[in-house]
Amino acid sequence: MRLAGFLEELERFYGRQEVSWPTEPYEFLVWWHCGYPASDATCAKGWAALTKEIGIEPDTLLRASVAKLRHALKAGGMVPELRAERLKEIALRVQNEYGGDLRAGLVGPLAKVRAALKKFPNIADPGADRILLFGEIAPVAAVPSNNPHVLYRILRGPERENYGATYRDVQQMIEAEIAESFDARTRAYLLLKVHGQSLCKRTKPKCGECPVQRECAYFARQS
Ligand code: SF4
């Protein structure tokens, strides 16, 4: 079965997936620092508290005290003070280098935009790819950062020990088989993400409940 077929199976099993985080690049950067350890659930909690108690605009974050930010961010989990300082760093950069409008400044060659995104705290290649794709800047082959192993296992077998090598291999699999469009690549991202969170976990995948078990290279090697 090719990748398109696996995605069909996953969509039949999990249903159509919707984005559950802010996709505008600046808002994503703020959301990403609203929770720690960062997850949809922790970031959503911190985001809800931050937007209710303070707001997210760059000048609003710069005016707020670290103590006030820390209080709001506590809803999202650990190290709220560090995350408060990171938010100020993000807001300051967006204010000073982008005139308060990050999205308007993310133009030009892809390599330059990617490098600009990676200057923000806690943004490496997977985060930059996620912003590029979901922010509709470029339809890159983004892979969920917590589970590049999912597609690797399905198509090839046990993932490689090197995270970066697995990530790049999976990107190439997506580039080879999934149309270079925002719709097709966001759909692939979201289905791989939900499968990694639900059944194809990094340790102890629940293969017995998996809808693609019969075609999975990893499962075939374990059997
Ligand atoms: S069979 Fe197991 S390893 Fe393969 S995709 Fe399903 S959960 Fe993951």
Side-chain angles (χ1 to χ4, degrees), residues 150 153-154 195 199-200 205-207 210 212-213 216 218-219:
V150 173
R153 286 175 179 171
I154 293 173
H195 192 43
L199 296 179
C200 195
K206 298 178 180 172
C207 301
C210 179
V212 298
Q213 180 210 81
C216 174
Y218 177 102
F219 184 74

Side-chain angles (χ1 to χ4, degrees), residues 68-215:
K68 212 170 162 204
L69 287 170
R70 184 185 59 208
H71 182 266
L73 293 174
K74 267 173 93 172
M78 296 160 62
V79 292
E81 182 146 346
L82 179 63
R83 289 185 284 118
E85 286 164 6
R86 294 279 189 266
L87 283 188
K88 282 192 168 287
E89 185 183 335
I90 291 165
L92 188 64
R93 174 162 285 153
V94 169
Q95 194 80 293
N96 288 349
E97 299 178 20
Y98 297 89
D101 186 351
L102 175 61
R103 179 64 185 88
L106 296 177
V107 292
L110 188 55
K112 179 173 154 264
V113 175
R114 179 187 295 281
L117 288 171
K118 286 169 69 176
K119 284 186 185 165
F120 286 97
N122 294 320
I123 297 296
D125 281 318
D129 287 337
R130 185 172 175 173
I131 294 170
L132 290 167
L133 178 62
F134 286 92
E136 300 204 339
I137 297 168
V140 298
V143 181
S145 61
N146 284 344
N147 44 36
H149 60 272
V150 173
L151 188 53
Y152 198 97
R153 286 175 179 171
I154 293 173
L155 294 183
R156 295 203 187 150
E159 63 271 29
R160 301 169 70 170
E161 282 187 13
N162 183 304
Y163 173 90
T166 301
Y167 187 90
R168 280 191 297 279
D169 283 353
V170 171
Q171 273 195 310
Q172 286 169 5
M173 294 171 196
I174 293 172
E175 284 165 357
E177 295 198 40
I178 302 297
E180 193 177 356
S181 75
F182 291 113
D183 282 351
R185 291 192 170 172
T186 54
R187 173 175 172 264
Y189 182 104
L190 293 171
L191 288 168
L192 295 173
K193 182 172 187 286
V194 69
H195 192 43
Q197 288 172 334
S198 305
L199 296 179
C200 195
K201 295 170 182 288
R202 190 185 300 271
T203 56
K204 297 190 184 166
K206 298 178 180 172
C207 301
E209 303 169 37
C210 179
V212 298
Q213 180 210 81
R214 282 189 305 171
E215 312 280 350

